[in-house]
Amino acid sequence: MGILLVFHQAYEPVGGSILLSAIVAGVPLYVLFVMLAVLRLPAWICAITAMLTAAVLGWLVWGLPLGITVGSATEGMAFGLWPISWIVLNAIFFHNLTVASGDFDAIKQSLTRLTEDRRLQALLVAFSFGALLEGIAGFGAPVAITASIMASLGFEPVTAAVLALLANTAPVAFGSIGIPITTLGGLVAPILGHTDALSTTRALSAMVGRQLPLFSILIPAYLIVVLAGWRRMREILPAVLLTGISFAVVQFAISNFVGPELTDILAALVSMGCLAALLRFWRPAQIYRFAGESTTPTTAGPITAPRRVMGASEADLPGSAVAGDRPHEEAGAQPPVRPWAAYAMYVVLVVVILVGQMGNLPGLTKLATPTNLTADLKCGTVAFKLCPQPWFGPEPTKDRQAFKFPDWNFYWPGTYDVNAKGAPVSSVNREKPIVAKSTPYQNPFDWNFLAAAGSLVLYADIVAWLIMRIRRRRVSFFAVYARTLRQLALPITTIAFILAIAYVMNFSGMTSSLAIAFSKTGFVFPFVAAFLGWLGVFLTGSDTSSNTLFGPLQAQTAQQLGNVSPILTAGTNSSGGVMGKMISPQNLSVGAAGVNKVGAEGAIFARVIRYSLILTTLVGIVAMIEAYVIPSIIPSP
């Protein structure tokens, strides 16, 4: 019964031509680009229009049955809500709690005492602290929190979002305790004929760790050039170099000799520590502030407006700073807060998430339950040997679709059929050359109630709020949460519809049509591999999802070419993908929401698109050099 209803993906439905098919497959993306960048329409309107475009093309041109079209679109919306919007919501809520309690005022004052220079604040907050948040949580949390912090410090809101998005690049491949690389390793290992995914994961970690450190040095300088111009960047060159090089050295060492899990966390801590230590002994000759800000006697001269650089428009620079909105403060003045108490709230965030992720840390992955808290929270996950029985509900092997807690992994309605044995099977089959043989497209929905990154952040929120109450801070948990929900209503809607686009394109085969067209580039495929990863992150907003989408294709294409390493192309998928995160519509929505500028996604997109294209091009060039000039740099699993 199930076999009769299977939809077999076709990758050349337009005139039997992969080129024409790829051009048509890109129409939803063209619609999204034009509406965001040219028409500057609100992101939620752009997302809905592009989603409807994708659904119509998938149904009428690629032949995806209407039921599966609806099912894939709604599953994409659900994935946009869980886990992506879930972590964004709780991350922004954490920041709003610190604002309401007065803790954030103390952090702002301490940062100002450490440095009043806006350039150094951008390095500390956007790059180093953002990398720490990326390593711990990822999935939009770094952009949301760092953009909010900078806007509250006095950065012009849209500029704060741009800087947060630009900084959230080099750390992304190792974000969320290394999830993008470990996911990629599990997918690529079978293609290479490896039964143990660990060796493949370590090789991919080393490969990405031999690409991104170059950008970890470049990004801090680029960040300051975008903010203030070349001359102002050179004035703080010691801080720029120390921040980038310290991060890059640790990123290279940990990714190559330990693994992907702790790379970002350790590199970020070292980077922040080095910059803080430098500022105890060194200060720039002139403190940089925005136009209109008052100067102090420590300033060597008058502050001038930022210079326009690299042919950019004046709108690229902050011109004059605008104080960030503070809509979430509780009524009544809060008593003064000591800086150490305010920073302790972020320590709580780090510790709680690390405890929740303990089972993913090196040396603890096989720790048994109940000692392994991560495994406890994932009981009942399909094929999860550490804790196969859910707390509530039948084992997945007995009834896949029945409700389970704390992890419910099931096929989404409309995307599966039931075989003769009563087991659910996918209604979509992927075909050659995407896979070696006709294979069911396995994309069940995973509702991991307790182990999701957003849930871990919520636990940190609760612990932080309880500590605030013990410290006699006047903060209403539910009032702040309700205001956060209102703040994020439109961004969450946007994220849901963007993921619907990705899912419809994936289920119909439209994405694969694009990928196959890219893979026909032969000798220059290592360069194109960077843009494939970039495309995947643009579509999904996640380097993990991009690696899932295109990682196997990258490895298979390299094997077919014969003159390129699959480890290089798969690793480049992740490295190139991180440069697409700043233009992903859901991340644009997160950044806009973080600075209370919902509706400004088009303006942000127009400013970051060229940075994204420049950096992805550089990743492609690095991959070409590694493939054909210094192939010995490519690790072997």
Side-chain angles (χ1 to χ4, degrees):
M1 172 176 149
I3 296 177
L4 297 176
L5 300 178
V6 168
F7 166 71
H8 295 269
Q9 292 182 343
Y11 307 127
E12 300 179 1
V14 183
S17 166
I18 189 61
L19 178 59
L20 293 177
S21 299
I23 291 172
V24 175
V27 169
L29 308 184
Y30 314 149
V31 169
L32 202 57
F33 269 101
V34 171
M35 295 184 71
L36 268 176
V38 180
L39 302 180
R40 304 286 182 93
L41 294 174
W44 67 273
I45 294 177
C46 305
I48 292 174
T49 306
M51 186 274 289
L52 293 174
T53 304
V56 170
L57 288 174
W59 176 35
L60 296 180
V61 180
W62 270 258
L64 187 68
L66 183 59
I68 302 178
T69 301
V70 174
S72 60
T74 53
E75 183 177 2
M77 292 179 191
F79 185 73
L81 298 175
W82 189 285
I84 296 175
S85 293
W86 181 234
I87 189 172
V88 174
L89 173 65
N90 291 312
I92 292 290
F93 174 56
F94 180 88
H95 174 69
N96 288 343
L97 278 177
T98 65
V99 172
S101 67
D103 288 324
F104 193 72
D105 282 335
I107 292 174
K108 287 195 294 183
Q109 292 168 6
S110 68
L111 283 174
T112 302
R113 283 195 295 268
L114 182 62
T115 176
E116 297 179 359
D117 193 294
R118 297 302 192 177
R119 299 164 296 182
L120 297 173
Q121 289 174 351
L123 288 177
L124 274 169
V125 176
F127 184 78
S128 296
F129 186 59
L132 178 63
L133 293 174
E134 180 65 42
I136 296 167
F139 291 100
V143 171
I145 292 177
T146 58
S148 297
I149 290 174
M150 286 189 291
S152 298
L153 284 171
F155 284 70
E156 190 275 321
V158 171
T159 297
V162 168
L163 295 175
L165 288 163
L166 178 57
N168 189 227
T169 48
V172 167
F174 299 102
S176 302
I177 318 293
I179 290 298
I181 300 297
T182 55
T183 301
L184 183 62
L187 293 169
V188 170
I191 294 172
L192 302 182
H194 301 156
T195 57
D196 179 17
L198 183 61
S199 61
T200 306
T201 299
R202 292 290 184 260
L204 289 166
S205 175
M207 185 71 258
V208 176
R210 298 175 193 187
Q211 293 176 329
L212 288 184
L214 298 173
F215 296 89
S216 298
I217 298 173
L218 173 64
I219 293 297
Y222 203 178
L223 201 66
I224 305 307
V225 169
V226 169
L227 173 66
W230 283 100
R231 183 170 67 85
R232 295 296 189 188
M233 187 277 291
R234 292 196 300 270
E235 291 174 355
I236 62 162
L237 194 58
V240 168
L241 291 176
L242 183 64
T243 301
I245 292 175
S246 61
F247 187 93
V249 168
V250 178
Q251 185 183 46
F252 171 82
I254 301 300
S255 62
N256 275 266
F257 302 111
V258 178
E261 294 87 355
L262 296 178
T263 298
D264 276 352
I265 295 174
L266 295 178
L269 290 172
V270 170
S271 177
M272 282 192 292
C274 288
L275 182 54
L278 175 68
L279 293 178
R280 294 179 62 88
F281 306 102
W282 172 87
R283 289 286 191 276
Q286 185 178 35
I287 295 178
Y288 173 79
R289 296 184 182 84
F290 302 138
E293 288 190 292
S294 61
T295 59
T296 66
T298 57
T299 307
I303 302 300
T304 58
R307 289 179 56 192
R308 183 163 60 91
V309 295
M310 298 176 63
S313 67
E314 294 295 343
D316 291 325
L317 301 172
S320 60
V322 181
D325 295 333
R326 297 172 57 177
H328 308 304
E329 292 189 31
E330 295 297 301
Q334 296 278 19
V337 181
R338 294 183 181 275
W340 65 264
Y343 282 108
M345 296 302 98
Y346 283 92
V347 173
V348 167
L349 177 67
V350 172
V351 170
V352 170
I353 292 177
L354 284 179
V355 170
Q357 294 271 28
M358 61 181 293
N360 296 325
L361 300 177
L364 299 179
T365 54
K366 297 183 180 179
L367 188 65
T369 58
T371 308
N372 188 337
L373 182 60
T374 305
D376 296 335
L377 300 179
K378 295 173 65 177
C379 286
T381 303
V382 176
F384 190 61
K385 297 180 180 179
L386 290 177
C387 191
Q389 179 64 46
W391 299 1
F392 175 83
E395 289 188 25
T397 54
K398 295 180 179 179
D399 189 344
R400 178 68 174 268
Q401 296 299 99
F403 176 80
K404 304 169 191 66
F405 186 86
D407 191 292
W408 187 19
N409 188 289
F410 60 97
Y411 283 90
W412 192 262
T415 67
Y416 75 97
D417 197 1
V418 178
N419 62 17
K421 297 181 180 179
V425 292
S426 175
S427 297
V428 176
N429 267 30
R430 305 171 82 187
E431 305 296 331
K432 294 180 179 181
I434 297 298
V435 290
K437 61 180 181 179
S438 183
T439 307
Y441 180 38
Q442 304 290 358
N443 197 11
F445 188 80
D446 188 23
W447 201 342
N448 49 346
F449 299 92
L450 301 182
S455 298
L456 299 181
V457 176
L458 179 60
Y459 307 151
D461 294 340
I462 295 171
V463 173
W465 177 75
L466 291 173
I467 294 173
M468 290 173 185
R469 298 297 294 179
I470 293 171
R471 293 166 47 215
R472 301 177 184 271
R473 314 310 296 173
R474 295 187 295 272
V475 182
S476 171
F477 186 95
F478 295 105
V480 176
Y481 207 95
R483 286 196 290 266
T484 306
L485 278 170
R486 290 195 296 270
Q487 175 187 358
L488 294 177
L490 285 179
I492 287 174
T493 301
T494 302
I495 290 169
F497 281 108
I498 289 296
L499 267 297
I501 298 169
Y503 269 60
V504 169
M505 292 183 68
N506 294 346
F507 272 84
S508 65
M510 295 167 68
T511 302
S512 296
S513 295
L514 287 167
I516 294 170
F518 274 121
S519 69
K520 299 296 184 181
T521 52
F523 175 81
V524 298
F525 182 70
F527 179 85
V528 174
F531 279 90
L532 264 180
W534 176 86
L535 174 64
V537 175
F538 169 75
L539 282 170
T540 65
S542 163
D543 199 45
T544 302
S545 298
S546 175
N547 288 342
T548 302
L549 189 61
F550 291 142
L553 176 65
Q554 299 266 25
Q556 290 168 348
T557 303
Q559 286 181 324
Q560 292 170 8
L561 292 173
N563 63 338
V564 179
S565 166
I567 294 295
L568 171 66
T569 56
T572 301
N573 188 86
S574 192
S575 297
V578 305
M579 304 308 174
K581 194 158 188 179
M582 70 181 80
I583 61 165
S584 178
Q586 55 265 47
N587 286 298
L588 293 172
S589 297
V590 168
V595 296
N596 292 313
K597 285 290 183 180
V598 174
E601 294 89 353
I604 298 171
F605 177 85
R607 289 173 59 174
V608 298
I609 178 62
R610 58 180 171 275
Y611 309 140
S612 179
L613 292 172
I614 290 170
L615 291 170
T616 309
T617 299
L618 291 176
V619 172
I621 292 172
V622 169
M624 290 289 286
I625 293 172
E626 290 175 330
Y628 302 118
V629 179
I630 47 173
S632 59
I633 200 174
I634 303 171
S636 298

